């Protein structure tokens, strides 16, 4: 059993909390509005979950998921996450997030931005290219024919292995895209973003992905 901290209780954060509890983990979940606004979700999740502040979720989690609007990255606690595996689920939508120059010119990625904010953490990109409902709706046991696959990217091999094991337990095969900088291959508007793909299909999608400037 692992304690999973979740910073962000939107669609993805809530679904990951459900998956975590279903698979025997403890969940500590936070949002921007305060623990008292998460009563309904925590009641649904049961005794294995509790609501907390961002700092408390960051401190409690052995693995911590950051699933908040991109513009709120600077609010993620730094010190409580030092040395920990941090999962970044984010995507860049200019119409929602405003124009961010280094993402527009593709000199960095959302996960690299989070890694820069958390220099002592081990950031892994994951769960950013699947709809929230599909996190529970498409999950199947290991070995299921045509099992859906999900991508990870990161710079720390041990951190990626930890996240890959979690994803497999949650019900999905795993495709490693490589370093954190390669996370662009599964960003919005790429072939792998959204559709239900098996591991071989997802590898093909990653290989065929193009930068925005080349589209």
């Amino acid at each position: 059993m692992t304690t999973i901290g979740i910073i962000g209780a939107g669609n993805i954060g809530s679904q990951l909390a459900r998956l975590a509890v279903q698979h025997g983990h403890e969940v500590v979940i936070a949002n921007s509005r305060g623990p008292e606004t998460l009563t309904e979700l925590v009641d649904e999740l049961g005794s294995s979950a509790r609501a907390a502040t961002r700092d408390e979720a960051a401190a409690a989690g052995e693995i911590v998921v950051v699933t908040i609007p991109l513009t709120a990255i600077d609010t993620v606690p730094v010190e409580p996450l030092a040395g920990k595996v941090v999962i970044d689920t984010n995507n860049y939508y200019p119409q929602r997030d405003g124009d961010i120059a280094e993402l527009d010119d593709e000199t960095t990625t959302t996960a690299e931005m989070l890694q820069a904010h958390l220099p002592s953490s081990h950031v892994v990109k994951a769960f950013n290219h699947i709809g929230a409902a599909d996190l529970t709706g498409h999950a199947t046991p290991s070995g299921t024919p045509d099992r859906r696959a999900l991508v990870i990217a990161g710079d720390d091999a041990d951190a990626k292995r930890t996240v890959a094991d979690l994803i497999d337990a949650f019900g999905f095969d795993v495709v490693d895209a490589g370093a954190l900088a390669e996370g662009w291959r599964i960003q919005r508007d790429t072939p792998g973003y959204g559709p239900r793909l098996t591991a071989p299909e997802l590898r093909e999608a990653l290989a065929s992905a193009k930068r925005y400037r080349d589209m």
Side-chain angles (χ1 to χ4, degrees):
M1 181 180 68
T2 301
T3 299
I4 299 177
I6 301 178
I7 299 175
N11 292 334
I12 294 292
S14 297
Q15 285 291 74
L16 289 175
R18 293 181 181 101
L19 276 172
V21 167
Q22 287 170 16
H23 289 85
H25 301 291
E26 299 282 338
V27 168
V28 182
I29 190 165
N31 65 6
S32 61
R33 295 176 294 139
E36 66 279 359
T37 66
L38 294 171
T39 301
E40 185 175 341
L41 176 62
V42 169
D43 286 347
E44 175 199 333
L45 294 172
S47 60
S48 294
R50 65 181 175 91
T53 65
R54 290 176 179 176
D55 284 324
E56 290 167 342
E62 297 165 72
I63 301 170
V64 177
V65 180
V66 174
T67 180
I68 59 177
L70 192 56
T71 52
I73 276 181
D74 288 344
T75 69
V76 176
V78 177
E79 290 305 318
L81 294 174
K84 293 185 179 181
V85 175
V86 177
I87 297 174
D88 170 58
T89 76
N90 220 330
N91 295 293
Y92 172 46
Y93 296 99
Q95 66 271 28
R96 178 195 69 183
D97 304 317
D99 294 322
I100 299 173
E102 59 267 43
L103 294 177
D104 289 334
D105 64 21
E106 298 185 277
T107 56
T108 191
T109 63
T110 61
E112 289 175 291
M113 289 177 63
L114 183 61
Q115 182 68 82
H117 177 67
L118 302 172
S120 299
S121 303
H122 308 295
V123 175
V124 178
K125 189 73 175 182
F127 299 118
N128 73 299
H129 62 101
I130 180 172
D134 294 340
L135 279 167
T136 50
H138 288 180
T140 56
S142 180
T144 300
D146 297 323
R147 192 187 197 205
R148 182 168 182 168
L150 298 180
V151 169
I152 59 171
D155 296 333
D156 183 277
D158 289 338
K160 286 200 290 186
R161 192 173 303 111
T162 295
V163 176
D165 288 346
L166 186 69
I167 291 172
D168 178 56
F170 279 3
F172 303 90
D173 286 345
V174 178
V175 172
D176 187 346
L180 207 57
E182 292 298 301
W184 71 268
R185 293 183 178 277
I186 199 64
Q187 65 193 5
R188 59 176 173 81
D189 303 323
T190 57
Y193 184 83
R196 187 190 190 286
L197 300 174
T198 64
E201 292 168 338
L202 193 48
R203 291 188 188 97
E204 289 182 9
L206 292 175
S208 64
K210 294 181 179 180
R211 296 278 194 179
Y212 293 133
R213 58 179 173 265
D214 298 324
M215 288 182 181

